Structure formats: structure tokens, C-alpha cells
Amino acid sequence: MSWFEAIILGIVQGLTEFLPISSSAHVSIVGQLLFDGRDPGAAFTAVTQIGTETAVLVYFWKDITRIIAQWFRSLTGAVPRNDPDARIGWLVIIGSIPIVVLGVLFQDAIDSYLRNLWITVAMLAGIAIVLWLADRTAGDNTRELDHLGWRHGLLFGLAQAAALVPGVSRSGMTIAGGLFMGYTREAATRYAFLLAIPAVFGSGFYKLKDIGEGHTAWGPTIVATLLAFIIGYAVIAWLIRFVSTHSFKGFVYYRLGVAAVVATLLVTGVLDPA
């Protein structure tokens, strides 16, 4: 991978990670379109996501440190376990279980045939419909995160786990799950950010061992990760403001449009599905 390729893919990762349009799909598609049909691979995608997830840590630093502190205090009985922040800490742990278990069980499939672009097309279009249906229910939603219990925490986690398949979108599926359960757009989006932290860092650090194999290299990967962090931070700030006053309809149309374009490129042989 060249430095130029890394710069482009880092920008793509930063722009798409938090939007409900699937960063892994965009990195794969852009990589194949611009760079001799080469898929950057699951390891490159996972490691560059460390950059965007670090942006979450910085943006929500006060919230995250408060949640962690209260969670530890709940272990010693200094605060009750139903303390709002301690409870969020427990629920993030519970919600992370599905993606860890499924990620380990289906690691080989995730790294290989699930990256087939026909599967990506199907997920882009299918989850667009899911997001549209969820968004239609959101107008009357009133639940905030203080209503979140262990059952909903686990359901949020199952929704997030679907993003192991490229094209689904971690944020899109998690937010859609929250909307179906009656949470406001702002609450579902904020929890999607918090819930992703253990999964993304775990996956990214695990995949560090694979950098340097194939056509990925450490230098370009680090550059892409830094760019993803900078751009991802700006996207978080924008998305938090956007969801408070807008629906996700535009993202639905975008996903359907990208699915149609990629399907056309596959049929005409411009892209290789494998």
C-alpha cells in the first residue's frame, strides 16, 4: 500500500465510520476502485478504526471517565450498582458480549467470503430499508438512556454485532435497534458511540499482528489511522448536532444509491466481487 492510498483510505474511514453508511464497505469499495482492484483487508480496516474510536474517547472524555469511575466505585459498594453512570458501564460490558463471541466464532468468514462485494451490496440495500423503517418510528420515541436495562443493553449489542458483516454499519444498525426499542435518535446515537469502544479497540489491537502481511505496511497504516482520528472527531461533532433535528432519510437514499452503483460496477466487471 502506498502513502497516497493510505491517505485516501484514512480520509474515507474518518468520514464514514460514524455515519450509518458502513465504513468497512466504503474502504473496501474505494480500495478496489482506485488501487488495482485490491481490497485493503480486514486488518487494515480494523486498525484504522482505532483512530476513529480514539476520537470518541477524546470527544466523550468527561462522560467516559465519569462512567468508568462510577463503575469501579460500584464494585466496592461506594455507590449503588443502579447508579446511572455505573449502570451504563455494566450495560456497555453486557452489550459488548455478542460482538466478541460472534467475532471469535466467525473470524475466518469475516476475513474472507463475507467481504464479497455482492454481500456488501445486499447489506447496503437491506440495512437501508431497516434504517428507514426504524426512522419512521422515531417521531414518537421518548426513551432516554436512563431507561436502559440489561435486556435492551443486550439487544443493542446484538444489533451492533451485525456490523461484523461489511455493508451493515455499526452505527447504523445500533441506532436502528435503539429506535425500534423506543429510544430517541440522540440517545441511540450516543449509546452507539459508547458501546462501540470496547469492540473497536479490541478488534483493532487484535488485528495489529496482521499488519505487514500482504500489501499492508506499518507506515501507511499509521498515517491512515491518524487521518481517521482527525476527520472522525469532526464527524462526531457534526452528527451529534444533526440527529437532534434531522431524520436519517438522507442516509437511506445514499445507501441505496451506493448499492446500485456497486452492483452496476460488479455486473459490468469493473469490480471483482471476491
Side-chain angles (χ1 to χ4, degrees), residues 145-258:
L145 292 185
D146 55 3
H147 293 93
L148 188 61
W150 70 268
R151 187 171 66 87
H152 281 182
L154 192 57
L155 290 173
F156 264 113
L158 288 169
Q160 177 184 240
L164 290 167
V165 182
V168 170
S169 171
R170 185 190 314 276
S171 62
M173 196 61 188
T174 309
I175 292 168
L179 296 180
F180 279 128
M181 289 185 283
Y183 291 87
T184 65
R185 292 188 183 94
E186 299 93 320
T189 302
R190 184 173 290 269
Y191 189 65
F193 284 139
L194 296 175
L195 184 60
I197 293 172
V200 173
F201 276 113
S203 173
F205 285 121
Y206 178 75
K207 288 293 186 180
L208 285 174
K209 61 182 176 54
D210 297 329
I211 299 298
E213 299 179 359
H215 56 268
T216 59
W218 273 105
T221 302
I222 290 171
V223 168
T225 302
L226 289 173
L227 280 170
F229 163 74
I230 295 168
I231 296 171
Y233 186 90
V235 172
I236 294 171
W238 175 82
L239 185 61
I240 291 294
R241 293 193 300 270
F242 179 86
V243 298
S244 64
T245 55
H246 295 77
S247 74
F248 293 109
K249 189 179 297 184
F251 298 119
V252 171
Y253 295 148
Y254 177 83
R255 290 180 67 103
L256 292 173
V258 172

Side-chain angles (χ1 to χ4, degrees), residues 35-162:
F35 312 128
D36 301 324
R38 297 198 305 267
D39 181 350
F44 176 85
T45 301
V47 172
T48 54
Q49 285 175 344
I50 293 175
T52 43
E53 209 58 34
T54 302
V56 174
L57 287 182
V58 174
Y59 191 88
F60 292 104
W61 181 251
K62 290 183 179 179
D63 292 339
I64 292 169
T65 54
R66 188 182 66 250
I67 289 168
I68 293 174
Q70 292 297 86
W71 181 80
F72 274 110
R73 293 182 71 195
S74 74
L75 295 179
T76 62
V79 299
R81 292 196 176 185
N82 62 354
D83 173 85
D85 289 322
R87 186 164 49 82
I88 289 294
W90 284 110
L91 290 171
V92 167
I93 294 172
I94 292 172
S96 299
I97 293 172
I99 199 167
V100 172
V101 173
L102 294 174
V104 171
L105 290 177
F106 297 102
Q107 179 183 341
D108 291 341
I110 294 164
D111 290 347
S112 55
Y113 65 82
L114 285 179
R115 297 185 69 83
N116 183 288
L117 284 183
W118 279 117
I119 294 177
T120 300
V121 167
M123 293 300 101
L124 283 168
I127 302 304
I129 296 171
V130 172
L131 191 61
W132 173 71
L133 291 172
D135 201 43
R136 290 191 65 186
T137 71
D140 298 326
N141 288 7
T142 58
R143 279 183 173 156
E144 300 293 344
L145 292 185
D146 55 3
H147 293 93
L148 188 61
W150 70 268
R151 187 171 66 87
H152 281 182
L154 192 57
L155 290 173
F156 264 113
L158 288 169
Q160 177 184 240

Side-chain angles (χ1 to χ4, degrees), residues 9-42:
L9 294 176
I11 292 171
V12 171
Q13 171 62 30
L15 287 172
T16 59
E17 171 65 19
F18 303 116
L19 304 181
I21 56 176
S22 180
S23 62
S24 58
H26 281 74
V27 169
S28 177
I29 293 165
V30 171
Q32 292 199 46
L33 277 175
L34 298 183
F35 312 128
D36 301 324
R38 297 198 305 267
D39 181 350

